[in-house]
Amino acid sequence: MRNESTIRVLLADDEAMIRAGVRAVLAAGPGIEIVAEAADGREAVEAARAHRPDVALLDIRMPRLDGLSACEEIRRTLPDTAVAVLTTFSEDAYIARALGGGATGFLLKSGDPHELIAGVRAVAGGAAFLSPKVARHVISELGGERLTRGAAARARTESLTAREREVLALVGAGLSNAEIARRLHLVEGTVKGYVSAVLDRLEVGNRVQAAIVAYEAGLVVETGHDG
């Protein structure tokens, strides 16, 4: 968990215009600093090792080493660096692999600038962040499986207590433990216990997987971040 007030970010995308746009958006977010940029995955891994950022923001399709492989390498060698993936609607199939590689944020390149800032802050704080538009699109693209998956997700969440479902919904909305604690008027340690229990009961490995279950079960409502 970070203690410093400034979130240090590595930005990797092979398109200079995309990097410039993301850099401009993040520069508008107080307390966020771009400490390094990279034009390919290999360069991103090297920059991550050199700068040890709080968050590595990676495009999926990059030369030399793609963003998913870079994610896996960064998470393996720099466990304190959170990884968020920059994605488009055409790259749904990569989300499962990114999850397995340790990414905890999925942000839409053409999304709301405020969402990009919120996502970087969420993953830096140890939370998961799945862009609501990405989540809705991924679930809708499941086609005929959508109802089955929704029913299965609802069945999985039925074993949770009302409070655990409430916590799961806020995890799905991208809130950190501290934000959930403020929202529910609990101490952060209690929230941490609830989150651990939810992950265990749902048999998922991380907060993003739990967030997907929350979306599929229809628990997530649009909510703003505190502070």
Side-chain angles (χ1 to χ4, degrees), residues 25-75:
V25 168
L26 294 182
I32 299 176
E33 178 188 2
I34 303 288
V35 295
E37 294 187 28
D40 63 62
R42 178 53 57 198
E43 193 177 323
V45 172
E46 292 168 356
R49 288 174 178 162
H51 294 273
R52 297 184 176 272
D54 299 305
V55 177
L57 193 54
L58 308 177
D59 181 29
I60 289 178
R61 297 177 183 174
M62 292 188 289
R64 289 215 292 167
L65 191 70
D66 64 55
L68 300 178
S69 297
C71 168
E72 292 166 0
E73 183 69 12
I74 290 170
R75 291 296 299 150

Side-chain angles (χ1 to χ4, degrees), residues 165-178:
R165 280 195 294 274
E166 202 171 10
V167 169
L168 174 60
L170 295 175
V171 167
L175 273 64
S176 67
N177 287 352

Side-chain angles (χ1 to χ4, degrees), residues 180-202:
I180 294 172
R182 287 194 293 273
R183 186 69 58 89
L184 300 182
H185 307 291
L186 299 170
V187 296
E188 190 172 346
T190 300
V191 171
K192 186 176 180 181
Y194 276 126
V195 171
S196 295
V198 166
L199 297 184
D200 287 344
R201 285 175 185 262
L202 295 180

Side-chain angles (χ1 to χ4, degrees), residues 93-150:
Y94 296 108
I95 288 184
R97 185 180 158 198
L99 279 170
T104 53
F106 294 86
L107 306 170
L108 196 60
K109 282 187 180 183
S110 58
D112 184 336
H114 296 291
E115 193 174 281
L116 182 63
I117 293 170
V120 167
R121 286 183 173 150
V123 298
F129 192 91
L130 189 65
S131 164
K133 289 181 181 178
V134 172
R136 285 195 293 269
H137 184 73
V138 169
I139 292 169
S140 68
E141 287 298 303
L142 294 170
E145 296 182 14
R146 185 180 181 184
L147 292 178
T148 302
R149 289 177 66 94

Side-chain angles (χ1 to χ4, degrees), residues 154 157-170 198 214 219:
R154 286 190 292 275
T157 60
E158 281 176 3
S159 67
L160 303 179
T161 66
R163 179 63 94 186
E164 286 169 345
R165 280 195 294 274
E166 202 171 10
V167 169
L168 174 60
L170 295 175
V198 166
L219 295 178

